[in-house]
Structure formats: structure tokens, C-alpha cells
Amino acid sequence: MGPLANQVGLDPIGSDASPQLSPETLSQLLSEVRRFVDKRLRPLEAQVSETNEMPEDVVQDMRDLGLFGLSIPAEHGGLGLTMHQEVLVALELGRVSPAFRAVIGTNVGIGSQGLVMFGTPEQKARWLPRIASGEIITSFALTEAEAGSDSASVQTRAIRQGDSYVLNGAKRFITNAGRAGLFTVIARSDPNRAGSSGVSAFLAPAGTPGLTVGKPERKMGQQGIHIHEVNFDDVRLPLDARLGQEGEGFKVAMRVLDRGRLHIAALCVGVAERLIEDSVRYASERRQFGQPIASFQLVQAMLADSKTEALAARAMVLTAAGKHDHGEDVVLDAAACKYFASEMVGRVADRAVQIFGGAGYVADYGIERLYRDVRVFRIYEGTSQIQQLVIAREMLRQQAAG
Ligand code: COS
């Protein structure tokens, strides 16, 4: 039993969990995550935000609970959750400052899924068990100064020289890079091809000579989790460090992002539900004009709008995750979920500040912190504008395909 289990009486999530969790095991997992969030993480929110540091024992507790391996197949030591099950866990993890979820976020999402989908048996055997256990943290290095939304324009080069690829370039805003043991790097392997077809994906272990990580950026929210610049200066990788075929890197990135969008959308719903609960509680306690502000219809309207939108987003995410698990193409659905849920939680957070009034603007109440935390959901893993673009393009493609 890990320290968490000792502290709050939890059983570590079983390492023998199969890809098809029984309904009982799933419900046990969800209640353990909820207890972990409520009893262990929520009391630490303010401290993590103020110190901008994630306590190492919390990271260890996450390892003990199996959280780093949610999406890693059971044969490689993870819990092997379906997308629907992963989304249910993400809904629970959203009930606390999203900085905590970000600790495991890359291992569950963008840092591991390229390997899961495109890795060779040898690459999977080498890395996935250590990713699933949380022994190593992963990062996804796509974004550059001139390539964020326009992912096909990456300038970082990976030039083949004999039995190596030599990487040169700079990535930025890379989540968890300071802790990462493994980077999935999207780089241009064919400098003669300008677009997506000249791009490949690579697995670059931390500590490879020439791979350096810059200091953490100072950012608006989600303190305790860090983003960094990552530099590649003649970083030499063996040929078997390439993930997928040469020229397939853009597809790797897009497939990874498609999946991640459902997880992020669920997280947005979780944070919204938390903000709504806090708003209802505060509105019931806070008195003005001789009565709780919850009795005023204009306050009720804000609560009703937030609840309605959160329910809609929840339904969208669960439906899309189910479609994903049935093998359906969810490119449009995932983009729509990420778009709607991230915009929704922005509105919900804004109304929460309004309902809390002056207290919503004061740090001690925690609402302004969540207001700042959720802003990035509309930006990272594809901006709202990129999601709109993806949705419309898919609609037109489907129309053209008849
Ligand atoms: N899954 C698999 N393949 C995909 C795909 C997907 N979701 N989306 C595109 N592709 C393929 C296309 O089929 C095309 O293949 P072919 O050349 O064989 O036809 C290739 O990739 C290029 O696609 P496309 O021409 O559509 O690429 P664009 O440069 O026009 O870019 C957008 C498309 C803008 C949608 C893409 O760059 C994107 O999603 N950008 C946002 C990335 C992002 O989320 N960044 C955040 C930072 S990373 S945390």
C-alpha cells in the first residue's frame, strides 16, 4: 500500500485490472478517484497555486493509484480504460485545480498515445510500462514559434545521417518538459517537403546529448505545473527512435490530438460541475437584502444557464467517447466536444465569479484561481478556432463524400 492508502484508507487501484473493467471495478475506481480528489488534492489547491510547486508525495500517490496508466493497455501495465471509462475518470479529476490532472495528463494523453497507436512492439515494451507506472513522465513536443495551430509547418529538423537522425530546432510551451523522461518530438525529416508529408515523429529520451530544457514559463493559471522551451542541438537519435513511418509524423500528431480532445472536454465538464456546486453553496449562504442571494431570480438564471450548459457538454462527451469505443470516426465529434466544453467552462467560471461577487475576485475563495486555470482550455491541444475549422471541414468532407 502506498502513502495515500495509509493516509485516507484507499485501496490502490488493482494492477490486475483488465481492459474490460467490470461495472463494479469501474465504480470502485471512480469512487477512489473522487475520494482522492476530495480528501487529498482539494486541501492542497491553494498551497500548490501559491508555491507553484507540486509536492512530490502527491505525485507518488498518483503513481500508487495507477493514474499515470489510465489509457495504457493492460498488457503494458496500465489500466487499459476505454475512452468512455477514461472520460468518466477525467470528469472526477476536473473537480480540483486542473494543475493536478496535468501531472498525469501527458502520460495519459499526448505523451503516450503516439506510442500506443504507432509504436513498434519493441518501442512499446521499452517505454509503456514505465509510462503507465509513472516512473517516467512524458512530454509531447510539437509547438514551435512558427508552428502551433499550423502544425504542418514545424521547422525543427530531423535529418537522417547514416544510422541516425540528427535533430535541430526549438519547441516551446511544452507541458511537463522539466520532469520528462521521454519526449515525442514532431520534426521535419524531409526539408524538401514543406507541408505535412515531410514531417516524422520521434521518441527522444531526456538526457540525450544536445537535448536541453529551458526554465519554466510564468503563466496565467494552473500553477504547480510547468511549460518549458525544449531545444535540440545536434541531438542524435537511432533510426529505431522514429515513431511510425517516415513522413507519418503529422498523422501521429493529429491522431494523438483527436483522442486528447475528448479527455480535455471531459476535464472541462468536471471543472464546470465543481464551479456550479461552489456557486450553489455560496449563493445559498450569502445573504443580501435579508435573504440568500440564491432566492433572487437573476442569480438563479446564472445557475440555471451554467447547469444546462454543463449537462449538454457532459452528454456530448459521453456520446462521443462511446462512438470512439465502437470504432467510429470521431474527428468531428472530438473537436465539437473540445470546442463546446472549453467555451462552456469559461462562461461557467465567469458566472461563478459574478455570483461570488467581491469574494469571487479575492484569491482566498479560490474562484478567481479556477477562472484563470480554465482559460487555457480554449487554447491548448487546439484552439477554439482550430476546432471550428476541423468541424466545418469534416462537415464539408462528409457532404462531398455523399
Ligand atoms: N487524423 C489522421 N490524419 C489526419 C487528420 C486526423 N485527424 N487530420 C489531417 N490528417 C491528414 C490528412 O488526411 C492529410 O493527409 P494526406 O496528405 O495523406 O491527404 C494530412 O494529414 C494533412 O492534412 P491537412 O491538409 O488537413 O492539414 P492542414 O495543414 O490543413 O492542417 C489542421 C489541419 C489545421 C486541422 C491541423 O494542423 C490542426 O489540427 N492544427 C491544430 C494542432 C493543435 O492542436 N495544436 C496545439 C498544440 S499541440 S498540444
Side-chain angles (χ1 to χ4, degrees), residues 110 140 142-143 148-152 196 250-251 254-255 257-258 261 331 380-382 386 389-390 393:
I110 53 180
F140 180 69
L142 166 65
T143 300
S149 294
D150 184 8
S151 315
S196 57
F250 187 78
K251 189 169 153 200
M254 291 301 113
R255 294 279 303 279
L257 288 166
D258 282 338
R261 284 168 188 162
V331 172
Y380 72 6
E381 298 200 25
I386 286 293
L389 194 96
V390 171
R393 280 172 29 151

Side-chain angles (χ1 to χ4, degrees), residues 84-101:
H84 193 266
Q85 293 167 340
E86 183 186 324
V87 152
L88 291 173
V89 175
L91 288 165
E92 295 298 336
L93 291 171
R95 298 170 47 79
V96 65
S97 166
F100 291 105
R101 197 280 332 181

Side-chain angles (χ1 to χ4, degrees), residues 373-385:
D373 286 345
V374 301
R375 187 62 183 86
V376 77
F377 292 143
R378 284 184 261 169
I379 299 170
Y380 72 6
E381 298 200 25
T383 62
S384 289
Q385 290 67 35

Side-chain angles (χ1 to χ4, degrees), residues 266-281:
L267 186 64
C268 292
V269 177
V271 182
E273 290 176 347
R274 149 82 184 276
L275 282 160
I276 292 166
E277 278 172 24
D278 288 355
S279 299
V280 170
R281 191 180 319 107

Side-chain angles (χ1 to χ4, degrees), residues 43-281:
L44 292 171
E45 279 182 316
Q47 175 200 315
V48 168
S49 173
E50 276 156 30
T51 59
N52 200 13
E53 276 173 25
M54 189 61 63
E56 204 42 51
D57 56 348
V58 168
V59 180
Q60 186 55 44
D61 290 346
M62 292 176 177
R63 291 192 187 102
D64 293 344
L65 266 174
L67 295 180
F68 286 94
L70 295 176
S71 63
I72 312 285
E75 61 185 298
H76 295 295
L79 290 178
L81 299 189
T82 63
M83 196 69 229
H84 193 266
Q85 293 167 340
E86 183 186 324
V87 152
L88 291 173
V89 175
L91 288 165
E92 295 298 336
L93 291 171
R95 298 170 47 79
V96 65
S97 166
F100 291 105
R101 197 280 332 181
V103 175
I104 62 152
T106 46
N107 280 31
V108 172
I110 53 180
S112 71
Q113 292 306 304
L115 249 170
V116 171
M117 289 189 269
F118 293 89
T120 62
E122 294 73 26
Q123 288 171 330
K124 290 181 182 182
R126 178 174 177 201
W127 294 110
L128 287 178
R130 297 166 68 199
I131 296 171
S133 69
E135 179 194 332
I136 59 168
I137 305 279
T138 54
S139 276
F140 180 69
L142 166 65
T143 300
E144 301 178 359
E146 300 296 329
S149 294
D150 184 8
S151 315
S153 290
V154 288
Q155 297 302 316
T156 295
R157 297 211 171 177
I159 304 301
R160 190 162 167 174
Q161 287 180 9
D163 56 1
S164 305
Y165 284 99
V166 180
L167 274 63
N168 279 287
K171 301 288 183 178
R172 67 173 186 174
F173 309 149
I174 306 303
T175 303
N176 284 335
R179 289 176 170 272
L182 182 68
F183 297 83
T184 301
V185 187
I186 308 296
R188 185 162 303 285
S189 49
D190 186 346
N192 299 318
R193 286 175 182 263
S196 57
S197 62
V199 171
S200 302
F202 299 89
L203 297 170
T208 307
L211 194 169
T212 51
V213 175
K215 65 176 173 44
E217 304 284 357
R218 295 170 61 227
K219 47 187 180 42
M220 180 188 216
Q222 300 205 18
Q223 272 67 34
I225 205 74
H226 301 293
I227 59 175
H228 305 252
E229 190 170 285
V230 180
N231 290 293
F232 299 86
D233 185 9
D234 282 336
V235 173
R236 195 167 282 274
L237 297 175
L239 297 185
D240 64 7
R242 196 186 65 229
L243 187 58
Q245 299 302 312
E246 193 155 307
E248 208 179 24
F250 187 78
K251 189 169 153 200
V252 172
M254 291 301 113
R255 294 279 303 279
V256 164
L257 288 166
D258 282 338
R259 193 179 190 286
R261 284 168 188 162
L262 288 175
H263 181 111
I264 299 294
L267 186 64
C268 292
V269 177
V271 182
E273 290 176 347
R274 149 82 184 276
L275 282 160
I276 292 166
E277 278 172 24
D278 288 355
S279 299
V280 170
R281 191 180 319 107

